[in-house]
Amino acid sequence: MEMFATALPALGDAWALILQPVVLGYLVLGVVMGLAVGVFPGLGGIAGLSLLLPFMFGMDPILGLALMIGMVAVVPTSDTFASVLMGIPGSSASQATVLDGFPMAKNGEAARALAAAFTSSLFGGLVGATFLTMFILVARPIVLAFGLPEMLMITILGLSMVAVLAGRFALKGLAAAGLGLMIGTIGEADAGGSLRMASYDIPYLTDGLKLVIVGLGIFAVPEIVSLLRQDRSIAKGANLGAGWTQGIKDWFANKWLSVRCSIIGVVVGIIPGLGGSVVDWIAYGHTVQTTKDKSKFGKGEVRGVIGPESSNNAKEGGGLVPTLLFGIPGSGSMAIFIGAVALLGSGSIEVGPAMLKDNLDITYSIVWLLALANVVGTVLCIAASGGIAKLTTIRFTYLAPFLFMLISFAAFQSGQNFEDLLALFLIGLIGIFLRRFDWSRPAFLIGFVLSNPVEKFTNQAFQIASFRFRKSFEAGMDYVFSPIVIVLIIITLVSVVLGIRQAKLIMSEGEVQSGAKRAPLVFLLVIAGYLITALVNANMIPDYNMTDKIIPLVVGGFALTCCLILLIQMIRRPEGDAIFADKEVAGEDADAPHGLWSTLAWFAGLIAATWVVGFILALVGFLLAFFRRRAGASWGMTLLLTTCGIAFMCFMAWSLNRDFPPGLLQDAVDLRWPLK
């Protein structure tokens, strides 16, 4: 009762703080900035908050918090635009939305998909804020109950979603997940610092590949290239569907799904280090498992939008629990948030237990600013969704060069290296062939996202468990098999069993016809060759650094075994069998008027020109040549579109204080910005 007696007055003080007109004005400003940042694929909340950091020093605490919370809350909502309209994950929290949101846009239902997503995001954000309000004083023991074994099991639960998303051939899905895990282990190991796959004199790989690059490469590049080859609009007709009112009705018809996925978002968001990277996949897997007719998933099922979007906004509320209670950032954006809070006012505000003790009113102000930001952001997004959805009726040839421009810029921001663009192109190639031969791209991405948590939590839990077992067998078993771990094991096993049964009904790449043996077999051999190379490289690590080699060896061995079984099946089965799925045999890709390599050459040309003359000069030449030759535009239209593209790119880089990729020319000549 004493806690509630303290909390109720603080709640009243919090409302008095945030209902001031100037505070609401800063909140709306933050929401608008978050919308602008979230629309650009790959930037997300980290880039947005980084932009605000210089302005936080000395700012009135409640005004600074309103600005930051407005941005943090709305980015998981606005990133839906890219996921639905372009098939590009706006951020790591909107990857699962692509699976059904983009097919809805291609079916002419973009406005419906956006409205359903925004309504789900609003509800999820309010659930997260409500949870924070109720449990901010009692959540401490809950968070402390999650040790390393529990966090490892949550990660494994995320991996179990591979069973749901494996596709018609479970072995392909498992091999794709294993490939993602192995690519995720590239670079310096956390435990002993050993280099994996970076020992081939490629310094760029030392830090591993960034999620932004892999997400854009696996989903964005294949979809852009595919639509560009077909030379039509994203939606086949000008009909945008029933619009935002139908999307709201869809949410209301599936409100209990939204409730369940919001709770999933809150629970996963509480666990530091997981958050947006996995929550949408867990929610998507739950959505599939609880739907009777699973045949529509991957083809435009609105439930496949409602589930992930409910969870990824709710996780922001959950992510603030460890951030506010312990000062432990639940994600990259929360880490910047903690640093920004320290700059506010006189610097007397500090997240953690002291904030709950000394600034409980400000703590609850953060909670309800989060709720208000979700309301304001959703209203703005729904109001604009009908107009923005009309982008899907524009001939894609006019959109593609701008998308190549945006994803190149976003990829470069992840590491500020030219090699980021090369990595984007190579991962894009992998994504193109995974899509072509009906290998599960979501499974690959889940594997990549969870590779680091799996390794980190496994090594740390193993070290502590070994110490406990040395004390006594009972102490070790109590540590490894806590009640929470047992519950999570049961949930994971149920998820795997149900997922294997249902995977054949879910075609994330749609219907794929089968063809000859040669192309699918060559791709399988290339994958197996990489896995063998990675296994040999991991085995070269000295035995005294066993923690650095054990995960790559186990995962690589498992993935290679799946590939060998697939190889045997391919050798034994006749041509035309479903295992030889190939999009180039029949369907949109096969009937496309433009070839794969000639289309991909435009993107390769942009990257090659960037290496020579820098990004902006390369972009000028790329846009002029593309609009004039590929799009067949007049010189007037070509010059207008090129000028708009360059001006937009310069404005975005200037406003976000970002650099452009330099080339050899910039090394030899001192040029003015933006050419340098």
Side-chain angles (χ1 to χ4, degrees), residues 17-28 62-63 66:
L17 281 173
I18 65 178
L19 290 180
Q20 302 174 68
V22 64
V23 176
L24 295 177
Y26 271 84
L27 180 70
V28 172
I62 193 65
L63 297 182

Side-chain angles (χ1 to χ4, degrees), residues 58-59 61 342-349:
M59 182 181 284
L343 299 176
L344 293 172
S346 60
S348 58
I349 300 177

Side-chain angles (χ1 to χ4, degrees), residues 43-365:
L43 291 181
I46 295 178
L49 284 176
S50 300
L51 170 65
L52 293 181
L53 272 178
F55 304 102
M56 291 295 106
F57 185 78
M59 182 181 284
D60 180 86
I62 193 65
L63 297 182
L65 288 170
L67 194 61
M68 287 192 294
I69 292 295
M71 176 171 283
V72 167
V74 82
V75 167
T77 303
S78 59
D79 63 11
T80 307
F81 280 118
S83 299
V84 171
L85 297 182
M86 306 169 192
I88 302 172
S91 69
S92 61
S94 62
Q95 293 160 355
T97 306
V98 173
L99 298 185
D100 286 288
F102 189 50
M104 288 183 72
K106 291 196 287 187
N107 294 335
E109 297 181 308
R112 177 187 177 192
L114 288 172
F118 296 148
T119 308
S120 304
S121 294
L122 169 61
F123 181 77
L126 293 178
V127 168
T130 303
F131 173 85
L132 265 175
T133 302
M134 295 173 60
F135 293 102
I136 204 162
L137 293 179
V138 297
R140 184 183 179 91
I142 298 174
V143 176
L144 288 177
F146 276 79
L148 290 170
E150 289 78 12
M151 294 171 77
L152 176 60
M153 278 311 305
I154 284 284
T155 307
I156 293 174
L157 174 60
L159 273 175
S160 74
M161 292 303 108
V162 169
V164 180
L165 300 168
R168 288 179 292 178
F169 283 91
L171 280 173
K172 282 187 177 181
L174 294 173
L179 177 64
L181 279 161
M182 288 300 285
I183 290 179
T185 63
I186 289 175
E188 192 174 36
D190 286 338
S194 302
L195 291 180
R196 293 170 310 202
M197 295 305 292
S199 56
Y200 294 107
D201 196 26
I202 307 177
Y204 172 75
L205 295 179
T206 301
D207 293 330
L209 294 171
K210 304 296 188 295
L211 177 58
V212 168
I213 292 174
V214 175
L216 290 173
I218 289 296
F219 279 104
V221 174
E223 298 302 338
I224 294 172
V225 169
S226 175
L227 286 168
L228 184 55
R229 290 177 61 192
Q230 295 161 32
D231 198 12
R232 59 171 177 81
S233 60
I234 294 174
K236 295 179 182 178
N239 177 27
L240 296 179
W244 63 274
T245 53
Q246 181 58 43
I248 295 174
K249 291 178 182 177
D250 288 327
W251 175 84
F252 191 77
N254 295 282
K255 55 184 178 295
W256 294 114
L257 170 67
S258 187
V259 169
R260 296 193 301 271
C261 289
S262 297
I263 294 172
I264 290 173
V266 168
V267 173
V268 175
I270 290 173
I271 313 300
L274 293 181
S277 298
V278 67
V279 66
D280 56 329
W281 294 117
I282 295 179
Y284 188 83
H286 172 75
T287 301
V288 174
Q289 291 167 349
T290 55
T291 303
K292 291 183 179 179
D293 182 10
K294 301 172 177 61
S295 61
K296 295 181 181 178
F297 282 98
K299 304 174 185 176
E301 169 62 69
V302 72
R303 286 171 63 88
V305 173
I306 292 172
E309 288 299 316
S310 297
S311 67
N312 65 22
N313 268 53
K315 73 101 173 40
E316 297 297 334
L320 280 169
V321 171
T323 302
L324 296 179
L325 284 179
F326 311 122
I328 299 173
S331 64
S333 59
M334 287 296 106
I336 297 177
F337 178 80
I338 290 174
V341 169
L343 299 176
L344 293 172
S346 60
S348 58
I349 300 177
E350 183 180 351
V351 295
M355 190 171 187
L356 296 179
K357 180 180 178 182
D358 303 326
N359 303 106
L360 191 58
D361 55 342
I362 291 181
T363 304
Y364 275 119
S365 296

Side-chain angles (χ1 to χ4, degrees), residues 436-437 512-516 520 580-587 589-591:
R436 173 178 171 177
F437 298 119
V512 184
Q513 297 296 320
S514 299
F580 299 110
D582 188 347
K583 280 183 175 286
E584 295 293 331
V585 172
D589 287 1
D591 299 333

Side-chain angles (χ1 to χ4, degrees), residues 646-671:
I646 298 299
F648 174 77
M649 200 78 265
C650 292
F651 173 76
M652 191 167 75
W654 172 78
S655 61
L656 294 175
N657 194 25
R658 300 282 170 164
D659 292 325
F660 293 118
L664 298 177
L665 179 64
Q666 281 71 20
D667 294 335
V669 182
D670 186 18
L671 299 171

